[in-house]
Short mmCIF file of all heavy atoms in Angstrom, two decimals:
data_model
loop_
_atom_site.label_atom_id
_atom_site.label_comp_id
_atom_site.label_asym_id
_atom_site.label_seq_id
_atom_site.Cartn_x
_atom_site.Cartn_y
_atom_site.Cartn_z
N GLU A 75 16.03 4.46 -5.31
CA GLU A 75 15.61 3.16 -5.97
C GLU A 75 14.39 3.35 -6.65
O GLU A 75 13.38 3.99 -6.18
CB GLU A 75 15.41 2.11 -4.83
CG GLU A 75 15.23 0.66 -5.43
CD GLU A 75 15.15 -0.30 -4.28
OE1 GLU A 75 14.05 -0.37 -3.61
OE2 GLU A 75 16.10 -1.13 -4.14
N MET A 77 11.89 0.58 -8.47
CA MET A 77 11.75 -0.77 -8.79
C MET A 77 10.38 -0.86 -9.50
O MET A 77 9.42 -0.34 -9.02
CB MET A 77 11.74 -1.60 -7.55
CG MET A 77 13.09 -1.69 -6.81
SD MET A 77 14.38 -2.57 -7.75
CE MET A 77 13.83 -4.26 -7.31
N GLU A 79 7.48 -3.50 -10.12
CA GLU A 79 6.87 -4.76 -9.77
C GLU A 79 5.76 -5.06 -10.72
O GLU A 79 4.81 -4.33 -10.84
CB GLU A 79 6.49 -4.73 -8.24
CG GLU A 79 5.97 -6.03 -7.72
CD GLU A 79 5.56 -5.93 -6.30
OE1 GLU A 79 5.37 -4.90 -5.89
OE2 GLU A 79 5.47 -7.13 -5.68
N LYS A 91 10.10 -8.32 -9.87
CA LYS A 91 10.45 -6.93 -9.42
C LYS A 91 11.78 -6.63 -10.01
O LYS A 91 12.83 -7.21 -9.66
CB LYS A 91 10.31 -6.91 -7.91
CG LYS A 91 10.15 -5.65 -7.32
CD LYS A 91 9.97 -5.76 -5.77
CE LYS A 91 9.83 -4.35 -5.13
NZ LYS A 91 9.62 -4.50 -3.71
N THR A 117 3.39 -1.81 -10.60
CA THR A 117 3.59 -1.00 -9.60
C THR A 117 5.11 -0.37 -9.62
O THR A 117 6.03 -1.17 -9.68
CB THR A 117 3.39 -1.60 -8.20
OG1 THR A 117 2.05 -2.15 -8.20
CG2 THR A 117 3.54 -0.67 -7.05
N SER A 118 5.19 0.93 -9.57
CA SER A 118 6.52 1.51 -9.55
C SER A 118 6.82 1.92 -7.98
O SER A 118 6.16 2.73 -7.57
CB SER A 118 6.66 2.73 -10.46
OG SER A 118 5.72 3.63 -10.08
N HIS A 119 7.82 1.23 -7.50
CA HIS A 119 8.22 1.60 -6.08
C HIS A 119 9.38 2.62 -6.14
O HIS A 119 10.41 2.24 -6.67
CB HIS A 119 8.73 0.31 -5.35
CG HIS A 119 7.74 -0.64 -5.27
ND1 HIS A 119 6.93 -0.84 -4.17
CD2 HIS A 119 7.35 -1.72 -6.02
CE1 HIS A 119 6.22 -1.94 -4.22
NE2 HIS A 119 6.36 -2.48 -5.39
N VAL A 120 9.03 3.73 -5.74
CA VAL A 120 10.10 4.76 -5.78
C VAL A 120 10.55 5.25 -4.39
O VAL A 120 9.75 5.54 -3.49
CB VAL A 120 9.58 6.02 -6.59
CG1 VAL A 120 10.65 7.17 -6.50
CG2 VAL A 120 9.19 5.74 -8.07
N THR A 121 11.90 5.10 -4.21
CA THR A 121 12.42 5.49 -2.87
C THR A 121 13.31 6.65 -3.05
O THR A 121 14.23 6.64 -3.88
CB THR A 121 13.14 4.30 -2.21
OG1 THR A 121 12.32 3.27 -2.19
CG2 THR A 121 13.58 4.64 -0.78
N HIS A 126 8.72 7.05 0.19
CA HIS A 126 8.42 6.00 -0.72
C HIS A 126 6.99 6.10 -1.28
O HIS A 126 6.11 6.40 -0.59
CB HIS A 126 8.51 4.76 0.15
CG HIS A 126 8.48 3.47 -0.70
ND1 HIS A 126 9.49 2.94 -1.35
CD2 HIS A 126 7.34 2.64 -1.12
CE1 HIS A 126 9.23 1.87 -1.97
NE2 HIS A 126 7.77 1.66 -1.88
N THR A 127 6.93 6.17 -2.59
CA THR A 127 5.76 6.40 -3.28
C THR A 127 5.55 5.17 -4.28
O THR A 127 6.58 4.87 -4.91
CB THR A 127 5.70 7.73 -4.03
OG1 THR A 127 6.02 8.63 -3.12
CG2 THR A 127 4.37 7.99 -4.57
N MET A 128 4.37 4.65 -4.40
CA MET A 128 4.25 3.44 -5.22
C MET A 128 2.91 3.38 -5.93
O MET A 128 2.09 2.61 -5.59
CB MET A 128 4.54 2.19 -4.43
CG MET A 128 3.96 2.18 -3.01
SD MET A 128 4.55 0.95 -1.99
CE MET A 128 3.69 -0.51 -2.72
N PRO A 129 2.84 4.13 -6.96
CA PRO A 129 1.55 4.14 -7.79
C PRO A 129 1.52 2.85 -8.67
O PRO A 129 2.60 2.22 -9.01
CB PRO A 129 1.59 5.25 -8.63
CG PRO A 129 3.07 5.59 -8.80
CD PRO A 129 3.78 5.15 -7.49
CU1 CU B 201 6.70 0.26 -2.67
#
Side-chain angles (χ1 to χ4, degrees):
E75 189 178 70
M77 296 289 284
E79 183 175 20
K91 199 169 175 181
T117 304
S118 58
H119 298 266
V120 178
T121 308
H126 187 83
T127 305
M128 39 192 289

